[in-house]
Amino acid sequence: MIRSVVFSATVFVALITTTQAHKVWLRPSQTSLSGNDPWVTVDAAVSNDLFYFNHFPLGLDNLVIIDPNGNQVEGQNQSTGKYRSVFDVQLKEKGTYRIAIVNQGLFASWEHDGQRRRWRGRASDFASALPEGATNVNVTESVGRIETFVTNGAPTETALEPTGKGIELIPVTHPNDLYAEEEGTFQLLVNGKPAAGLEVEIIQGATRYRNSQDTVHVTSDDEGKIKYTWPEAGMYWLSTSKSDSDTSIPNATQRRLSYAGTVEVLPQ
């Protein structure tokens, strides 16, 4: 139980501070497959280097996998170790799967009996957690999405339909149809609407073996679109975040949104 709380707290902090050194990610063993019954293994971690397990595992409590028909399916063989969580996905259907960890909740602080208190959890649990007589209560809503995409056969887009919650990355170029030296285009949404002016970090994996992160920053245009020409084949990590006051939880005065995605770029 204690371990679970630690995972959640770590992920929560990582999601709302994506500019810090630790990065949250899902990494599939491969993204494009074919066959009647292929499988992929997905690693989930919070790390200093992309994509190496050297800090904390990512909790799987809020794992959501959408199959090519739009149905939710279970991640199989789930386990969590010292540095990573892992699960398998059986690709029974042809098309694209969206694999995500979606965290929604709030964090709060208040004063009670002369002490400053902090709390994190689900919005539905907050009322019972707040003690009577608490003062100087501050509540912040949070919505974070960590995801990746895997395709069996030809890419499809049913699983990629926006949910309308938090920051989402919508394909103009399909995320499983990316090639080195070609430009890819995505659209960023916030609660289902195009998000202009979001700064996105793009970092190629294998950072352990180079002296610089080589981070590239791109900013979404008026339609929420970003464009980037992939310099070479490999796994890439994209991340962005946003804070505003457009809350949906009673008593929350601030909202923090975050997104982190992993895509694979194939050679020509």
Side-chain angles (χ1 to χ4, degrees):
M1 181 64 184
I2 294 175
R3 190 175 182 80
S4 176
V5 171
V6 171
F7 294 158
S8 299
T10 301
V11 170
F12 185 85
V13 172
L15 283 170
I16 63 176
T17 57
T18 53
T19 58
Q20 293 183 355
H22 295 148
K23 298 173 177 61
V24 294
W25 45 266
L26 294 171
R27 186 193 187 283
S29 52
Q30 53 185 320
T31 61
S32 296
L33 305 92
S34 61
N36 294 326
D37 191 26
W39 292 65
V40 294
T41 290
V42 182
D43 295 312
V46 182
S47 71
N48 299 311
D49 299 309
L50 291 170
F51 293 95
Y52 295 89
F53 330 115
N54 55 14
H55 186 60
F56 259 88
L58 189 61
L60 302 179
D61 293 345
N62 299 316
L63 177 64
V64 179
I65 304 172
I66 305 299
D67 77 5
N69 298 320
N71 300 316
Q72 187 167 335
V73 298
E74 295 294 322
Q76 300 189 41
N77 304 318
Q78 296 184 29
S79 67
T80 296
K82 175 67 175 177
Y83 291 121
R84 66 167 171 166
S85 295
V86 63
F87 58 92
D88 296 324
V89 183
Q90 186 178 14
L91 309 179
K92 295 181 179 179
E93 307 294 336
K94 296 287 187 180
T96 299
Y97 288 69
R98 185 184 196 180
I99 302 169
I101 292 176
V102 183
N103 294 293
Q104 299 183 61
L106 61 81
F107 64 95
S109 64
W110 61 79
E111 293 180 3
H112 187 252
D113 290 337
Q115 299 291 322
R116 191 69 180 168
R117 305 292 185 186
R118 298 180 188 276
W119 184 88
R120 298 184 178 95
R122 295 182 177 88
S124 58
D125 298 332
F126 178 59
S128 60
L130 185 66
E132 187 175 350
T135 59
N136 294 325
V137 179
N138 292 307
V139 180
T140 298
E141 178 182 4
S142 103
V143 181
R145 171 177 286 270
I146 309 159
E147 69 181 0
T148 191
F149 313 92
V150 172
T151 293
N152 177 19
T156 59
E157 297 191 357
T158 298
L160 309 183
E161 292 292 325
T163 68
K165 295 180 180 178
I167 300 176
E168 295 183 275
L169 183 144
I170 303 302
V172 177
T173 306
H174 194 285
N176 291 141
D177 193 24
L178 306 176
Y179 292 91
E181 302 178 356
E182 290 186 1
E183 183 180 80
T185 303
F186 303 120
Q187 185 180 35
L188 292 167
L189 306 179
V190 170
N191 284 6
K193 298 179 180 179
L198 282 184
E199 185 177 83
V200 179
E201 282 187 313
I202 302 175
I203 304 176
Q204 188 176 6
T207 56
R208 181 179 179 84
Y209 300 115
R210 58 180 188 263
N211 292 327
S212 171
Q213 294 281 304
D214 295 338
T215 304
V216 175
H217 296 273
V218 296
T219 302
S220 58
D221 64 15
D222 290 343
E223 296 179 331
K225 293 180 180 177
I226 58 170
K227 300 177 184 294
Y228 181 63
T229 299
W230 312 100
E232 57 185 286
M235 288 286 187
Y236 287 78
W237 184 78
L238 300 86
S239 176
T240 188
S241 62
K242 172 184 173 64
S243 295
D244 59 30
S245 59
D246 190 11
T247 62
S248 62
I249 296 176
N251 301 318
T253 58
Q254 188 177 21
R255 181 179 67 168
R256 294 184 179 178
L257 309 174
S258 63
Y259 177 89
T262 301
V263 297
E264 184 177 31
V265 176
L266 299 175
Q268 291 280 354

